[in-house]
Amino acid sequence: MAKGLSVEKIIYVLCALTAALCAWLLLRTYLRNKIRLLFWSGLCFSGLALNNVILLLDKTVFSTTADLLLLRSSSALIALLLLLFGLIWEEQ
């Protein structure tokens, strides 16, 4: 492996890319089919991708200078609340 590239960093990047890919696929399918649950799921995965990017930054870039726990937790909470809102909205 390249110098400075640890397994931990690779896993963080892969998680962020996976969540971003899921968000892209969900939102693309929403644009084709107009099923609103796909929209809310896509927004949730967008928030989770953002959460993974913040996690990567927190654990690798700002590991000694700043603690991004509150920002990470807030982005995950907002992402899950979007999905919860979409599930409730579609039920009514």
Side-chain angles (χ1 to χ4, degrees):
M1 277 197 231
K3 185 177 179 181
L5 193 60
S6 67
V7 174
E8 182 180 84
K9 290 178 187 177
I10 293 171
I11 291 172
Y12 290 149
V13 170
L14 288 175
C15 288
L17 289 175
T18 302
L21 177 64
C22 288
W24 178 69
L25 290 172
L26 286 164
L27 292 172
R28 184 184 67 164
T29 306
Y30 165 73
L31 290 174
R32 290 183 182 164
N33 299 332
K34 300 298 182 196
I35 299 171
R36 289 187 297 181
L37 190 55
L38 291 172
F39 173 73
W40 294 111
S41 299
L43 286 182
C44 175
F45 272 94
S46 297
L48 293 176
L50 175 66
N51 183 38
N52 282 314
V53 169
I54 296 169
L55 174 65
L56 174 67
L57 292 174
D58 188 22
K59 296 296 183 181
T60 60
V61 177
F62 302 115
S63 61
T64 58
T65 59
D67 184 19
L68 301 178
L69 178 64
L70 183 60
L71 186 59
R72 281 188 355 236
S73 300
S74 299
S75 66
L77 178 65
I78 291 169
L80 293 176
L81 286 175
L82 285 170
L83 182 60
L84 181 63
F85 178 78
L87 288 170
I88 293 170
W89 182 268
E90 293 302 313
E91 183 65 29
Q92 294 178 352

